């Protein structure tokens, strides 16, 4: 079963493993997180264990401060089993996401032997900094050509925003997360 937790869910007691963090654009970005969550819930019968999706996008910020949001993200980015990063197309450059990409790819690289199996990075073709994402990934993953080939295959080149291309990117992201879950379940995380 798939469970979802946000920073507004302050009463949630989460397990120490089987955590998927949905990093990616929020401000001035479509609600891609909802589509990914719905897509994973539709496939939950494929998964052997319960998985917890950590979604930093909140519907309501009642009582949640910016500091509380940052603290929640920091804690769970550092404990997640799967790091999922989606760069949505549109006007937003998503600078915090670029920082998180560099930081947490490096955290995962140092923390896990199988770190490339735990990362799912996807760009919508309308994201204006696709080349920067590829360059940043080459800096940390240049000795992992299989990972880079898969990453580049999942990243669409920036052209114009097209609904069908966005949907393809979302489906690719869902497939990538499902693949990471399957890998970790087969290898007994």
């Amino acid at each position: 079963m798939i469970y979802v937790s946000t920073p507004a869910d302050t009463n949630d007691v989460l397990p120490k493993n089987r955590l998927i963090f949905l990093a990616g654009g929020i401000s001035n970005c479509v609600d891609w997180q909802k589509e990914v969550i719905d897509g994973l819930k539709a496939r939950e019968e494929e998964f052997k264990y319960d998985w917890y999706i950590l979604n930093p996008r909140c519907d309501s910020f009642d009582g949640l401060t910016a500091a509380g949001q940052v603290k929640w993200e920091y804690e769970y980015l550092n404990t997640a089993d799967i790091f999922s990063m989606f760069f949505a197309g549109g006007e937003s450059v998503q600078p915090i996401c670029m920082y998180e990409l560099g930081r947490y790819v490096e955290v995962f690289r140092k923390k896990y032997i199988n770190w490339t199996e735990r990362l799912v990075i996807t760009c919508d073709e309308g994201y204006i900094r696709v080349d920067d994402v590829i360059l940043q990934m080459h800096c940390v993953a240049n000795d992992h050509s299989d990972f880079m080939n898969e990453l580049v295959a999942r990243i669409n080149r920036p052209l114009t925003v097209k609904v069908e291309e966005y949907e393809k990117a979302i489906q690719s992201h869902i497939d990538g997360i499902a693949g990471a879950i399957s890998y970790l379940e087969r290898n007994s995380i």
Side-chain angles (χ1 to χ4, degrees):
M1 181 156 251
I2 298 288
Y3 299 96
V4 180
S5 183
T6 69
D9 302 327
T10 55
N11 294 327
D12 283 358
V13 177
L14 296 173
K16 298 288 184 211
N17 61 6
R18 293 196 288 276
L19 301 173
I20 304 163
F21 196 98
L22 295 185
I26 295 175
S27 299
N28 300 316
C29 293
V30 298
D31 189 356
W32 61 269
Q33 293 92 339
K34 179 184 181 333
E35 293 183 57
V36 169
I37 290 166
D38 290 347
L40 289 170
K41 283 185 172 187
R43 295 175 68 167
E44 65 187 355
E45 72 282 350
E46 296 175 29
F47 312 130
K48 190 170 22 173
Y49 303 109
D50 291 341
W51 285 85
Y52 296 80
I53 298 175
L54 305 167
N55 180 11
R57 185 185 292 261
C58 295
D59 292 333
S60 169
F61 284 93
D62 293 342
L64 182 66
T65 64
Q69 170 92 14
V70 169
K71 182 180 176 189
W72 183 92
E73 289 187 28
Y74 181 82
E75 176 183 352
Y76 289 114
L77 277 165
N78 281 297
T79 59
D81 297 292
I82 296 173
F83 175 72
S84 152
M85 174 64 76
F86 187 83
F87 289 94
E91 298 297 316
S92 179
V93 177
Q94 303 166 55
I96 294 171
C97 298
M98 290 295 284
Y99 163 76
E100 288 175 343
L101 176 66
R103 175 167 169 56
Y104 290 101
V105 166
E106 189 63 19
V107 165
F108 271 58
R109 191 176 72 78
K110 290 179 178 177
K111 186 175 180 178
Y112 299 111
I113 292 171
N114 60 348
W115 67 278
T116 61
E117 302 295 335
R118 296 169 176 267
L119 301 175
V120 181
I121 302 158
T122 308
C123 294
D124 177 358
E125 75 168 358
Y127 181 58
I128 58 179
R129 305 290 299 266
V130 171
D131 291 333
D132 292 341
V133 172
I134 294 171
L135 180 60
Q136 193 171 90
M137 293 310 302
H138 272 292
C139 290
V140 294
N142 59 5
D143 56 336
H144 298 275
S145 60
D146 289 345
F147 173 72
M148 283 309 301
N149 290 338
E150 181 183 332
L151 172 68
V152 172
R154 280 206 314 264
I155 292 178
N156 298 307
R157 306 306 298 165
L159 300 167
T160 59
V161 178
K162 297 179 185 172
V163 172
E164 63 273 9
E165 295 304 324
Y166 168 76
E167 290 171 356
K168 180 180 173 186
I170 287 291
Q171 188 57 53
S172 177
H173 202 67
I174 293 166
D175 292 344
I177 294 170
I181 290 171
S182 295
Y183 171 83
L184 293 176
E185 287 184 345
R186 280 192 318 273
N187 293 284
S188 301
I189 62 160

